[in-house]
Amino acid sequence: MNVLTDNFSTYGKGFLGTVELTVYASLLALALGFLMASFRVAPIGSLRLFGTAWVTVLRNTPLTLLFFAVLLGLPRFGLALSFQLFAVLALGCYTSAFICEALRSGINTVPRGQGEAARSLGMSFGQTLATVVLPQAFRSVIAPVGSTLIALAKNSAIAGAFSVTELLGTYRTLSELGYNIIWTFVWIALGYLIITLTISALFNLMEKRWGVAR
């Protein structure tokens, strides 16, 4: 117990760092995921091609390699951001590909006739997608999206290797101070468990309220 009590501020900074990464990257992933899902089903070929390329590249690129590409590659093009923002960008873009595919599977569950009816009323593709199709699609994929964001929270541990303050990285400091490595990781694991259970509870609540009854 003294590992936690003696280093509560260290654990606290790491825990808050992981929470911030998870929240900001999740918001980015959701926004990009919705956008790319829209591109995947757009009537414009170039948009479909862009959405497909986005998903194909990011889903088949190791996250660690993407971190290297973002943190080391973007500054060469004059983009100077903090390590945390670079980490949010890498995590958010990577996860957006999985969010996109989850949403696209939900879009496929919406009857085609609803989109046709909306267009017959004079609604544009964007209006149909935003007000008719995507809201229904999201209701049917709340659980998969929640699982994807839980994976994002755990993937944020990679950011610690790139000078970003997060929970897993606290083990290096505590190890150097001579604390028992097993108990150090026990409290780190408990911190991740709190974060992932919170996300799970939030999406379970959303599914009960808005999910499609099966």
Side-chain angles (χ1 to χ4, degrees):
M1 190 69 183
N2 66 310
V3 176
L4 177 64
T5 56
D6 293 349
N7 302 280
F8 193 78
S9 61
T10 301
Y11 274 111
K13 290 178 182 177
F15 181 82
L16 290 177
T18 295
V19 170
E20 288 181 359
L21 274 177
T22 301
V23 170
Y24 295 144
S26 294
L27 292 175
L28 179 61
L30 287 170
L32 288 175
F34 270 92
L35 181 63
M36 292 303 146
S38 302
F39 284 2
R40 291 293 303 267
V41 297
I44 302 173
S46 58
L47 291 181
R48 291 198 304 272
L49 180 61
F50 182 85
T52 301
W54 179 276
V55 170
T56 301
V57 171
L58 291 176
R59 287 181 71 188
N60 294 285
T61 301
L63 182 54
T64 304
L65 180 59
L66 185 60
F67 264 88
F68 275 112
V70 171
L71 272 77
L72 301 180
L74 292 183
R76 294 179 179 270
F77 296 95
L79 186 59
L81 300 173
S82 67
F83 284 134
Q84 185 180 36
L85 287 178
F86 277 129
V88 167
L89 187 61
L91 277 170
C93 289
Y94 177 79
T95 309
S96 70
F98 297 91
I99 297 288
C100 169
E101 289 302 276
L103 285 172
R104 191 167 69 92
S105 68
I107 289 172
N108 291 333
T109 67
V110 179
R112 186 183 298 272
Q114 294 195 24
E116 294 174 349
R119 287 192 293 273
S120 70
L121 294 174
M123 297 176 67
S124 67
F125 171 76
Q127 290 173 326
T128 301
L129 199 65
T131 62
V132 178
V133 178
L134 280 180
Q136 296 184 73
F138 183 73
R139 289 180 60 199
S140 67
V141 296
I142 291 176
V145 168
S147 297
T148 301
L149 296 185
I150 287 174
L152 183 154
K154 294 183 288 186
N155 287 338
S156 67
I158 296 176
F162 296 89
S163 302
V164 177
T165 301
E166 52 79 44
L167 188 55
L168 183 60
T170 59
Y171 89 90
R172 288 191 296 270
T173 301
L174 301 184
S175 178
E176 291 171 358
L177 294 174
Y179 286 95
N180 187 299
I181 193 67
I182 294 177
W183 283 106
T184 297
F185 279 113
V186 166
W187 292 115
I188 289 174
L190 182 60
Y192 279 107
L193 188 62
I194 291 172
I195 294 171
T196 55
L197 287 179
T198 300
I199 297 173
S200 178
L202 175 61
F203 275 84
N204 283 339
L205 182 62
M206 292 171 62
E207 189 172 22
K208 288 179 181 178
R209 184 167 182 177
W210 295 306
V212 177
R214 306 243 182 226

